[in-house]
Amino acid sequence: MHHPAYIEPGPGYPSIQQPYQYYEYNYPARPLPYVSPDIDQGFSFGRVMLCLMLFLFLFAMIISMFTMMVFMTIKPTFYLESFEVRSFDLSGNGGPGTTLKANWETKVSIKNTNTRSSVLVNQVETSLVYRYVALDVSYVDHVEIQKDSNVQILDAFSFPSSKLTFNTDSVVKEMAKDRQRGQIMFDLKLEVQLMVKSNVFHKSEKMRLFCERITLDFKNSTSNIPTWNGNKHECVSGL
């Protein structure tokens, strides 16, 4: 390797160390890219808008969740508790002159499962239905159900009805046939108008429900008093 640290002197002369020689090179400066002020302002505006949109989205989600927690309610549920035949006087076998006089009584429970809201039932219109024919109708008004509790409503029906008019002969004829078969079925149709109440809001609701296939059995073909089979079940929503 070459070491150009100093120059060798001649004889009789002291050794003088020569300093290193440095050379500077002036490289041409590379110009920085030109950024237009308009482009920079555009990027800043885009960032602001993006942040604003993100904030509005999160705010809307929070408001939606709060609204669902406060205003979301569960409609009450209806259950058939009992169906009692008070009287059932069917004379004849379905031919001319066959008559029917009957009285029924039903008990339906209404359960409010809301833990923050009570339910005010303004009216329940209950119809006793046989083969798509409403035999009679009963009304119950102004029943309040507290939070997470239930009440029971009673309805009484009679045949012939003093409130409804229809072709009773066809109904009596079919019931006489059902007695011979040993079984008869009814339905209950409920038209409900209610209001869900809390400390911050009131919400009105309408419901149509059916307690279907209420089955009564005759002990024999000449028995006049059918008995309910005791099948308690929930009334289902219908159009």
Side-chain angles (χ1 to χ4, degrees), residues 51-69:
C51 293
L52 180 61
M53 291 175 64
L54 181 60
F55 171 77
L56 291 176
F57 177 74
L58 294 176
F59 180 75
M61 287 188 61
I62 294 173
I63 292 297
S64 300
M65 293 177 62
F66 176 78
T67 303
M68 289 179 62
M69 292 178 60

Side-chain angles (χ1 to χ4, degrees), residues 17 38 57 74 79 85 117 129-130 132 161 170 173 190 194 222 233:
Q17 185 175 355
D38 295 336
F57 177 74
I74 303 174
Y79 293 88
V85 182
S117 308
V129 180
Y130 171 76
Y132 305 104
S161 174
S170 61
K173 181 179 178 180
L190 292 80
L194 57 87
T222 60
H233 56 274

Side-chain angles (χ1 to χ4, degrees), residues 28-230:
R30 180 179 296 177
L32 296 175
Y34 173 75
V35 178
S36 173
D38 295 336
I39 296 177
D40 186 60
Q41 292 177 4
F43 283 141
S44 299
F45 179 75
R47 287 193 294 267
V48 171
M49 290 300 296
L50 182 61
C51 293
L52 180 61
M53 291 175 64
L54 181 60
F55 171 77
L56 291 176
F57 177 74
L58 294 176
F59 180 75
M61 287 188 61
I62 294 173
I63 292 297
S64 300
M65 293 177 62
F66 176 78
T67 303
M68 289 179 62
M69 292 178 60
V70 174
F71 294 98
M72 184 178 66
T73 57
I74 303 174
K75 294 180 181 180
T77 52
F78 291 70
Y79 293 88
L80 176 67
E81 294 291 341
S82 69
F83 190 100
E84 186 174 354
V85 182
R86 291 294 187 180
S87 64
F88 194 87
D89 185 11
L90 180 61
S91 62
N93 295 321
T98 302
T99 61
L100 172 65
K101 290 183 180 179
N103 291 278
W104 303 271
E105 187 176 279
T106 62
K107 183 186 297 183
V108 174
S109 67
I110 310 173
K111 183 173 180 59
N112 176 23
T113 57
N114 292 290
T115 57
R116 299 186 182 93
S117 308
S118 61
V119 174
L120 175 62
V121 179
N122 295 317
Q123 185 182 80
V124 181
E125 177 186 310
T126 306
S127 301
L128 179 65
V129 180
Y130 171 76
R131 294 182 180 271
Y132 305 104
V133 177
L135 303 181
D136 199 10
V137 64
S138 177
Y139 300 93
V140 175
D141 299 325
H142 304 296
V143 178
E144 186 165 5
I145 313 168
Q146 298 301 323
K147 306 171 185 178
D148 198 21
S149 62
N150 65 287
V151 299
Q152 293 182 342
I153 59 174
L154 298 176
D155 291 287
F157 307 96
S158 61
F159 185 91
S161 174
S162 60
K163 303 169 187 174
L164 302 177
T165 58
F166 52 90
N167 185 0
T168 59
D169 293 338
S170 61
V171 171
V172 173
K173 181 179 178 180
E174 292 299 325
M175 284 193 181
K177 293 179 180 179
D178 286 339
R179 182 177 64 177
Q180 294 176 356
R181 286 189 287 262
Q183 191 176 82
I184 185 172
M185 286 194 299
F186 296 96
D187 299 318
L188 288 180
K189 184 180 76 170
L190 292 80
E191 300 279 357
V192 185
Q193 298 180 21
L194 57 87
M195 179 182 294
V196 181
K197 303 191 306 179
S198 71
N199 295 329
V200 294
F201 77 99
H202 294 167
K203 183 180 180 182
S204 298
E205 295 278 0
K206 289 185 178 181
M207 302 176 66
R208 175 177 292 176
L209 303 134
F210 291 92
C211 306
E212 299 178 311
R213 303 181 67 84
I214 305 171
T215 305
L216 285 75
D217 297 314
F218 292 91
K219 293 181 179 179
N220 52 63
S221 61
T222 60
S223 175
N224 269 340
I225 304 296
T227 56
W228 179 48
N229 66 359

